[in-house]
C-alpha cells in the first residue's frame, strides 16, 4: 500500500497475535480460543487456552470451580457436547460432596452498617450483605462472640444460598472462614443453586451461541426409549 500510494515512509505495521483452531465470542472482550500460535510462539502438541472476561477466571467464582470451568471450556473448544455434559455431571458429584467453605462464593462485605436496621437488613440489601447481617445476628443470638468474629465492613468473606424454610430465616448466609455448627445450616444449603450459579450459568453463556447445553436435556425420544 505504501508503494502504491508513493508514501514517504512505511507507517502501517501489523503483527500476528493468535492462530486458533476454534474460538467463541460471547460479547466484546469476552471470548475463549484454542490457540496453536501466539505471537509467533507455536504450541505443536496441545493448543493453549486464551480466555478473556469469562467467569472461569473471575475472583467472584469459587476457587474450587475455576479449574473445572477451564477444563469445560477446553472441552467446548476441542471436543463434543456429549463430552462437556459428561464432565459437568462428574464434577457436580464432586461439588455436592465438597466442604461448604470450598463451594461458597467469595465476596467483600461492604456496607454492612449501611444496610443494617434494628438487627435486620434494609430493602435493596445485596444477598452477601444480607447473609453477613444474618451471621452477626445469629452470633449474638447464640452468644458466640467470644469464639467467633463478626462479619465486618470491607473484609473478605463468603456466602451460601439456602433453601427456604430454614433455621436462619433467609435464603442466604455469609461467613468469614466457616459457619458455627450452632446455626444448623447443613440441611438447608442449596447446592443445586450454588452449582447453577457457579458452573451452569457461566457455561451457558458460552454454550448458547453454539446451540449446546451444559446438561443433557430430556427429549421425547428419551422418554419413549
Amino acid at each position: 500500500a505504501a508503494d502504491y500510494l508513493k508514501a514517504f515512509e512505511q507507517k502501517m505495521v501489523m503483527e500476528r497475535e493468535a492462530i486458533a483452531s476454534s474460538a467463541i465470542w460471547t460479547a466484546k472482550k469476552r471470548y475463549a480460543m484454542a490457540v496453536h500460535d501466539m505471537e509467533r510462539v507455536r504450541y505443536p502438541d496441545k493448543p493453549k487456552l486464551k480466555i478473556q472476561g469469562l467467569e472461569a477466571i473471575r475472583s467472584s467464582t469459587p476457587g474450587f470451580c475455576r479449574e473445572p470451568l477451564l477444563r469445560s471450556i477446553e472441552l467446548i473448544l476441542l471436543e463434543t457436547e456429549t463430552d462437556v455434559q459428561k464432565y459437568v455431571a462428574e464434577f457436580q458429584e464432586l461439588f455436592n460432596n465438597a466442604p461448604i467453605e470450598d463451594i461458597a462464593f467469595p465476596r467483600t462485605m461492604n456496607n454492612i452498617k449501611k444496610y443494617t436496621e434494628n438487627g435486620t437488613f434494609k430493602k435493596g440489601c445485596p444477598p452477601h450483605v444480607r447473609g453477613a447481617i444474618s451471621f452477626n445476628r445469629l452470633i449474638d443470638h447464640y452468644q458466640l462472640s467470644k469464639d467467633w468474629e463478626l462479619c465486618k465492613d470491607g473484609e473478605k468473606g463468603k456466602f451460601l444460598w439456602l433453601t427456604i424454610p430454614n433455621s436462619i430465616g433467609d435464603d442466604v448466609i455469609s461467613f468469614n472462614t466457616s459457619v458455627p455448627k450452632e446455626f444448623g445450616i447443613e440441611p438447608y444449603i442449596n447446592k443445586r443453586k450454588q452449582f447453577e450459579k457457579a458452573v451452569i450459568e457461566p457455561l451457558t453463556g458460552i454454550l448458547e451461541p453454539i446451540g449446546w447445553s451444559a446438561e443433557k436435556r430430556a427429549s421425547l425420544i428419551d422418554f419413549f426409549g
Side-chain angles (χ1 to χ4, degrees), residues 105-113 128-129 132 135-136 148-159 174-177:
F105 292 97
R107 289 292 189 278
T108 300
M109 303 298 168
N110 291 325
N111 300 316
I112 295 175
K113 291 181 180 179
H128 64 286
V129 180
F135 180 90
N136 292 345
W148 294 84
E149 286 194 8
L150 299 176
C151 290
K152 299 175 183 176
D153 273 335
E155 291 187 350
K156 293 188 180 299
K158 296 182 178 182
F159 81 93
S174 299
F175 56 93
N176 296 318
T177 55

Side-chain angles (χ1 to χ4, degrees), residues 181-194:
K181 65 180 186 302
E182 287 84 353
F183 290 9
I185 69 163
E186 286 284 350
Y188 306 109
I189 297 171
N190 194 337
K191 292 187 177 181
R192 177 57 195 174
K193 187 170 184 177
Q194 288 286 131

Side-chain angles (χ1 to χ4, degrees), residues 6 25 29 41 53 56-57 78 169 178 187 192-193 218:
K6 296 180 172 56
W25 276 263
K29 295 185 179 180
V41 177
I57 53 175
L78 301 174
S178 60
R192 177 57 195 174
K193 187 170 184 177

Side-chain angles (χ1 to χ4, degrees), residues 18-26 30-38 46-52 54 72-80 84 206 210 212:
I19 299 175
S21 56
S22 56
I24 298 171
W25 276 263
T26 62
R30 289 171 60 85
Y31 60 84
M33 306 172 71
V35 177
H36 295 264
D37 183 299
M38 176 67 71
K46 183 180 179 181
K48 180 180 179 180
L49 285 186
K50 182 181 181 182
I51 298 175
Q52 175 72 38
L54 300 179
S72 297
I73 294 171
E74 184 178 36
L75 291 173
I76 292 168
L77 293 169
L78 301 174
E79 304 296 338
T80 68
V84 175
I206 302 170
I210 59 174
W212 289 9

Side-chain angles (χ1 to χ4, degrees), residues 4-209:
Y4 180 79
L5 295 171
K6 296 180 172 56
F8 290 108
E9 290 183 58
Q10 171 59 267
K11 292 296 185 180
M12 293 177 64
V13 179
M14 300 180 187
E15 295 180 354
R16 183 172 72 243
E17 182 177 350
I19 299 175
S21 56
S22 56
I24 298 171
W25 276 263
T26 62
K28 184 179 180 180
K29 295 185 179 180
R30 289 171 60 85
Y31 60 84
M33 306 172 71
V35 177
H36 295 264
D37 183 299
M38 176 67 71
E39 297 178 352
R40 303 179 184 179
V41 177
R42 290 291 177 98
Y43 304 102
D45 299 323
K46 183 180 179 181
K48 180 180 179 180
L49 285 186
K50 182 181 181 182
I51 298 175
Q52 175 72 38
L54 300 179
E55 280 77 359
I57 53 175
R58 289 187 173 182
S59 60
S60 58
T61 301
F64 185 75
C65 300
R66 290 176 201 168
E67 188 61 36
L69 278 170
L70 289 172
R71 175 58 180 158
S72 297
I73 294 171
E74 184 178 36
L75 291 173
I76 292 168
L77 293 169
L78 301 174
E79 304 296 338
T80 68
E81 182 181 18
T82 301
D83 293 318
V84 175
Q85 292 173 347
K86 181 181 177 183
Y87 181 77
V88 170
E90 290 172 352
F91 177 62
Q92 186 170 10
E93 289 292 322
L94 295 174
F95 185 95
N96 289 339
N97 293 301
I100 62 173
E101 294 81 7
D102 290 349
I103 64 173
F105 292 97
R107 289 292 189 278
T108 300
M109 303 298 168
N110 291 325
N111 300 316
I112 295 175
K113 291 181 180 179
K114 173 184 173 181
Y115 285 107
T116 301
E117 186 174 65
N118 298 323
T120 186
F121 43 82
K122 297 178 183 178
K123 186 177 179 180
C125 183
H128 64 286
V129 180
R130 277 196 283 123
I133 294 169
S134 293
F135 180 90
N136 292 345
R137 173 175 56 80
L138 291 165
I139 289 292
D140 182 60
H141 174 75
Y142 289 105
Q143 299 180 355
L144 300 173
S145 58
K146 289 184 178 180
D147 300 315
W148 294 84
E149 286 194 8
L150 299 176
C151 290
K152 299 175 183 176
D153 273 335
E155 291 187 350
K156 293 188 180 299
K158 296 182 178 182
F159 81 93
L160 292 161
W161 291 104
L162 306 175
T163 58
I164 294 288
N166 58 48
S167 59
I168 303 298
D170 194 23
D171 65 346
V172 64
I173 186 69
S174 299
F175 56 93
N176 296 318
T177 55
S178 60
V179 181
K181 65 180 186 302
E182 287 84 353
F183 290 9
I185 69 163
E186 286 284 350
Y188 306 109
I189 297 171
N190 194 337
K191 292 187 177 181
R192 177 57 195 174
K193 187 170 184 177
Q194 288 286 131
F195 189 73
E196 286 180 350
K197 295 285 187 183
V199 178
I200 300 300
E201 288 186 8
L203 288 180
T204 298
I206 302 170
L207 291 168
E208 278 187 343

